[in-house]
Amino acid sequence: MGVAVRVIPCLDVDAGRVVKGVNFQELRDAGDPVEMAAVYDAEGADELTFLDVTASSGERATMIDVVRRTAEQVFIPLTVGGGIRTPEDVDRMLRAGADKVSVNTAAIARPELLGEMARRFGSQCIVLSVDARRVKEGAPTPSTFEVTTHGGRTGTGIDAVEWAARGQELGVGEILLNSMDADGTRAGFDLELIEKVRRVVDVPVIASGGAGALEHFPPAIRAGADAVLAASVFHFGQLRIGEVKDVLRADHVEVR
């Protein structure tokens, strides 16, 4: 039997507040990430991901405080991404109570960074976040998917599937695979992207981007994802974590 599939809500945090609104009746303050984390913990989330979308590096101390307060209250694994550029950034987040740190843009600029982080902190702590989009016809990537930066707006010309494989070679313990085409559409996960990455890596793959209905989750697992991540559908209460687990169980998927 494989490892149980994880269901992971993602919170975008800007200067210590949750952005991309939330609509939980149970919350006194819909902008407080710690309070939201506690609700998700109670609802059965297997992990939580915080994405620090703060533009200025001066606000990083705020994020460390959010992580510390969350880790004191919530006992499921916590991954933090956004603005992680150096091993020292990783160290600060892990010391504050994060279990894993996800790295994106800094690794594109200098892939060796992933190996340095994995050796220093352990592969299990380092997640490579890949923002992938389909390239236009005739573009020069073997898989037809390329790595992007700046929220999918800027192409890098790097083949996304090869980049995921390279991340594993360099020592990352997990791939967070974001489909920039599917993101926000609520039309379902990009199954072709998941399948292509699954073929070239053995480490867990977290599928992100496109979740809009309960029936979208089982196909992502069948395509090869080990975990499913979603944001707005959970924040607005369209879907609850327990419902996602129920639909996965009905599809004979092992969940926690």
Side-chain angles (χ1 to χ4, degrees), residues 134-208:
R134 279 185 165 70
V135 290
K136 307 294 175 272
E137 289 299 313
T141 65
S143 72
T144 70
F145 290 96
E146 76 169 324
V147 177
T148 66
T149 60
H150 302 90
R153 293 189 297 277
T154 309
T156 61
I158 298 166
D159 185 281
V161 176
E162 289 175 1
W163 178 232
R166 178 91 196 277
Q168 175 175 302
E169 280 167 28
L170 287 164
V172 304
E174 203 159 52
I175 306 289
L176 172 55
L177 188 58
N178 308 302
S179 166
M180 304 316 288
D181 300 306
D183 189 46
T185 64
R186 302 200 187 174
F189 292 94
D190 190 325
L191 304 179
E192 183 193 352
L193 176 62
I194 297 166
E195 284 166 359
K196 284 185 167 176
V197 170
R198 174 80 285 157
R199 280 187 212 119
V200 300
V201 301
D202 305 314
V203 295
V205 173
I206 305 166
S208 165

Side-chain angles (χ1 to χ4, degrees), residues 2-10 40 43-49 76-79 99-102 123-128 172-177 189 198 201-208 211 216-218 220-221 224-230 234 240-242 244-249 253-256:
V3 179
V5 162
R6 292 165 287 151
V7 179
I8 307 174
C10 178
Y40 281 133
E43 288 204 343
D46 298 301
E47 294 186 10
L48 282 169
T49 294
I76 54 178
L78 180 60
T79 300
D99 298 274
K100 303 181 214 176
V101 171
S102 98
S123 290
Q124 75 285 352
C125 292
I126 308 302
V127 180
L128 174 60
V172 304
E174 203 159 52
I175 306 289
L176 172 55
L177 188 58
F189 292 94
R198 174 80 285 157
V201 301
D202 305 314
V203 295
V205 173
I206 305 166
S208 165
H216 292 156
F217 290 90
I221 303 305
D226 301 271
V228 282
L229 178 143
F234 291 144
R240 304 310 276 242
I241 292 182
V244 172
K245 291 191 170 186
D246 288 344
V247 80
L248 289 170
R249 278 189 199 102
V253 172
E254 187 190 345
V255 293
R256 292 175 188 175

